[in-house]
């Protein structure tokens, strides 16, 4: 087999080349749309060790995964996570095109230089507001100034930054324009995300849901949005904002079906492989990992799972329904 070509092809002919891995379900924030304040986290023994995560990722890379994103929870609060990043960075140029992560930015002031030194070139930083007081309300525990300092250091270390903003009704909807000007003013891409119904949280989902079609219409009154065909291997659709020259993405799982070009799968911090963010079907990869030192069982489990990757998801936000999926985004890794 040609190791550089994905041989993980699902029943719909889509080659899996992008793996997202949640390295922890823990987080130092409690964003209102993501977690309940009194979250119960998994017992540590259930988590894959960093060595197991390395082995798992290496198996996927050997099968043709070219892009790896670490996420969580907050990936940078996992103890010794830099040793994992260092180990994974050895695959760059040898199968792996990109090693990246999604972070809330709280630990970037500690790790920005090391990330750059380990060959991480781009990161996604989640930021929903530029107002420190609102930031505290939205994240419950976060410190806005610490995140901003981390972003500054990351930019100085040469990391390319994309800002991810979840559009939350009644909370940051009046700030999207400011966020856009700020991000593009600093040379960062901005991607807007619709809330997804994952996990039981304290708030009512329908109160948070703000369709991006509406946000786009509002932005169009002040900016010229020019469709561009860029795809980054993800579900975002991009426009170029003529006035700022920057790139703006929209991730609209609720109003737009992006499944037909899906090239990704996700692994949770316990080694459960989800073939689709919006479906419950999953495969346990921890057992085959722990059953044998050789990767034979692991590859067989991966093959079997990919043969079941579904055609698409079916989220519904509806006031009377329980969350469409009971697991949290922080467990699956957004
Ligand atoms: N802690 C890191 C962070 O916040 O960037 C990584 C994990 S977080 C789960 C990944 C992304 O998922 C973040 O951009 C976050 O805003 C987003 N997210 C969390 N819960 C969500 C939800 N219910 N709907 C839409 N996006 C969500
Ligand atoms: Fe933590 Fe990220 Fe979830 Fe916020 S969105 S609670 S930072 S995992």
């Amino acid at each position: 087999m040609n190791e550089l070509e994905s041989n993980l092809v699902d029943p719909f002919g889509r080659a899996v080349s992008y793996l997202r891995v949640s390295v922890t379900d823990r987080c130092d924030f409690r964003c209102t749309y993501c977690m309940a304040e009194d979250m119960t986290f998994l017992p540590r023994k259930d988590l894959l060790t960093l060595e197991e995560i390395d082995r798992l990722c290496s198996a996927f890379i050997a099968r043709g995964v070219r892009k790896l994103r670490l996420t969580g929870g907050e990936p940078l609060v996992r103890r010794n996570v830099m040793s994992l990043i260092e180990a994974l960075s050895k695959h760059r140029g040898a199968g792996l095109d990109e090693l990246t992560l999604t972070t809330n930015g709280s630990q970037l002031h500690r790790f920005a230089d090391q990330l750059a030194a380990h060959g991480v070139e781009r990161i996604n930083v989640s930021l929903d507001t530029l107002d420190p007081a609102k930031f505290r309300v939205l994240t419950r525990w976060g410190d806005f100034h610490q995140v901003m300092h981390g972003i500054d250091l990351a930019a100085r270390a040469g990391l390319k930054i994309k800002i991810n903003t979840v559009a939350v009704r009644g909370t940051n909807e009046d700030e999207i324009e400011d966020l856009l000007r700020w991000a593009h003013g600093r040379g960062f891409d901005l991607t807007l995300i619709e809330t997804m119904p994952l996990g039981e949280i304290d708030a009512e989902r329908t109160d948070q849901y703000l369709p991006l079609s509406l946000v786009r219409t509002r932005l169009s009154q002040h900016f010229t949005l020019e469709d561009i065909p860029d795809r980054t291997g993800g579900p975002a659709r991009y426009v170029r904002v003529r006035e700022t020259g920057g790139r703006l993405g929209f991730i609209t799982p609720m109003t737009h079906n992006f499944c037909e070009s899906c090239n990704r799968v996700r692994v949770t911090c316990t080694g459960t492989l989800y073939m689709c963010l919006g479906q419950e079907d999953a495969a346990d990869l921890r057992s085959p990992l722990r059953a044998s030192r050789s990767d034979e069982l692991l590859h067989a489990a991966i093959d079997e799972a990919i043969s079941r990757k579904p055609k698409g998801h079916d989220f519904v936000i509806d006031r009377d329904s329980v969350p469409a999926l009971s697991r949290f985004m922080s467990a699956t890794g957004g």
Side-chain angles (χ1 to χ4, degrees), residues 26-31 33-35 72-74 104 126 139 330:
R26 286 161 204 259
C27 188
D28 52 346
F29 290 5
R30 292 288 181 280
C31 301
Y33 48 74
C34 177
M35 291 192 186
E74 173 47 43
N104 65 22
S126 303
T139 63
S330 49

Side-chain angles (χ1 to χ4, degrees), residues 62-112:
R63 300 297 301 281
V65 159
R66 313 198 58 135
K67 178 167 172 179
L68 198 58
R69 178 178 297 280
L70 304 185
T71 175
E74 173 47 43
L76 295 180
V77 301
R78 172 108 193 220
R79 193 182 306 173
N80 288 333
V81 70
M82 251 349 112
S83 67
L84 173 68
I85 290 173
E86 184 177 6
L88 293 173
S89 71
K90 303 204 169 89
H91 294 287
R92 285 182 70 250
L96 191 65
D97 294 337
E98 185 169 21
L99 172 61
T100 182
L101 74 160
T102 299
T103 173
N104 65 22
S106 71
Q107 307 303 315
L108 278 177
H109 62 289
R110 293 165 60 202
F111 294 127

Side-chain angles (χ1 to χ4, degrees), residues 20 22 24 26-29 31-35 70-76 101-105 124-128 163-167 191 193-199 201 205 208 253 328-334:
R20 297 169 78 104
S22 173
T24 176
R26 286 161 204 259
C27 188
D28 52 346
F29 290 5
C31 301
T32 52
Y33 48 74
C34 177
M35 291 192 186
L70 304 185
T71 175
E74 173 47 43
L76 295 180
L101 74 160
T102 299
T103 173
N104 65 22
N124 289 358
V125 182
S126 303
L127 182 75
D128 302 328
I163 302 293
N164 280 347
T165 299
V166 176
T191 292
I193 307 173
E194 268 174 5
T195 55
M196 287 180 251
L198 296 173
I201 52 166
R205 291 285 178 202
Q208 297 185 332
F328 286 90
M329 183 74 113
S330 49
T332 331

Side-chain angles (χ1 to χ4, degrees), residues 74 120 133 191 239 310 321 333:
E74 173 47 43
V120 174
T191 292
V239 297
S321 69

Side-chain angles (χ1 to χ4, degrees), residues 6-11 16-19 52-65 265-267 271-275 282-289 294-309:
S6 177
N7 60 8
L8 294 175
V9 178
D10 77 5
V16 173
S17 56
Y18 182 176
L19 176 67
E52 286 169 337
I53 296 176
D54 181 21
R55 225 181 110 198
L56 186 81
C57 292
S58 302
F60 272 98
I61 294 165
R63 300 297 301 281
V65 159
V265 292
R266 296 173 159 77
V267 178
T272 302
L273 175 68
Y274 282 95
M275 289 73 85
D284 168 32
L285 299 183
R286 188 179 58 191
S287 302
L289 255 176
S294 111
D295 288 341
E296 220 167 289
L297 292 174
L298 179 61
H299 281 294
I302 293 172
D303 278 330
E304 201 280 323
I306 299 301
S307 77
R308 286 191 279 125
K309 185 168 159 60

